Structures are given as C-alpha cells and as structure tokens.
Amino acid sequence: NLHEILSERESISSSMQTVLDEATEPWGIKVERVEIKDCRLPIQLQRAMAAEAEAAREARAKVIAADGEQKAARALKEASDVISTSSAALQLRYLQTLNSISSEKNHTIVFPFPMELARAALAGSASESDKKSL
C-alpha cells in the first residue's frame, strides 16, 4: 500500500540497511545510510488509484444525499401531521405560499380552492334556482 510506504519510510529504510549490511559485510563494505526519498508510480497504477478514490467519494456523496432525503421526508411527515390537525393551519400555509409566490414577480398564480367549498356553493345555487322556478 502506497500510504504505508510513505508513512513508514524510516522503518523501511532501516530494514533495507540491515539487509544490505548483511549482504555487504563479507566484502568489507559498510552502507552508511539508506533513504527512501521519492516514490514513483506507474501511470496505470495512478489511474487505478484515482478511479478508486473517485468511487469512494461518489459513494460518500450518495450516502450523504440519502441521509438528506431521509431527513427531508421525516420533516415533511411531521409538517403534514401538524397541518392535518387544524384546518386553519392548512389555510395559513396556503396564504404563506401565496405570499412567497407574489414576492417572486410571477404573472400567474394558481390558488388551490377546496372542492368541498365549490360543491357546497354549487349545491346552494342549484337549490336557490329550484326555489325561484316554483
């Protein structure tokens, strides 16, 4: 592993010096110092390591995005629970939405109108027209 080589240069150097000393001592040669100064990797290995790092970053990003989606879903559920307990809360949310839409300088505003009110208004006008015809 490249990380191990880079982080343990000194221990690798000392073990290399020990091996070299054992091999060169019979010849009367003493190796004074062994240092690992530079590590060069083949291009294919660099590309493989870069691809592995990118895959790890993408995996972490997916986990973070999934966690955010989960938190957003919980927040929406809690909000729907609160709004479902009070019809006034739903009406206030409609008005708040209209306020935010109107501040954006939009020309078209779609206002949700409860169908129950429309049915009641239509039923009321139908019964009035029946009374007038009599």
Side-chain angles (χ1 to χ4, degrees):
N1 190 336
L2 180 64
H3 177 69
E4 292 172 358
I5 292 172
L6 294 175
S7 65
E8 299 183 19
R9 287 183 191 183
E10 292 180 17
S11 63
I12 293 171
S13 296
S14 66
S15 63
M16 285 177 66
Q17 184 167 0
T18 304
V19 171
L20 284 171
D21 283 342
E22 290 173 3
T24 58
E25 190 175 342
W27 298 340
I29 299 173
K30 172 68 176 147
V31 176
E32 285 188 23
R33 184 175 63 201
V34 175
E35 291 181 10
I36 299 176
K37 289 192 175 216
D38 190 18
C39 294
R40 295 189 186 188
L41 300 173
I43 299 297
Q44 285 182 321
L45 184 57
Q46 290 176 6
R47 288 182 183 151
M49 291 172 70
E52 182 181 346
E54 184 177 352
R57 282 191 301 272
E58 287 177 3
R60 282 193 301 273
K62 286 180 182 180
V63 168
I64 291 169
D67 187 41
E69 291 281 334
Q70 191 176 38
K71 286 179 182 176
R74 281 193 197 116
L76 283 173
K77 183 187 179 314
E78 289 173 10
S80 70
D81 290 343
V82 169
I83 289 176
S84 68
T85 60
S86 170
S87 61
L90 184 59
Q91 187 63 33
L92 287 172
R93 183 66 187 130
Y94 283 153
L95 293 173
Q96 188 178 31
T97 303
L98 276 177
N99 186 31
S100 67
I101 290 172
S102 66
S103 67
E104 294 175 6
K105 307 273 190 261
N106 288 335
H107 297 288
T108 304
I109 295 177
V110 177
F111 185 71
F113 190 76
M115 291 306 295
E116 293 81 22
L117 292 177
R119 285 188 193 114
L122 290 174
S125 67
S127 64
E128 285 181 22
S129 64
D130 290 341
K131 289 179 187 177
K132 288 181 182 177
S133 63
L134 293 176

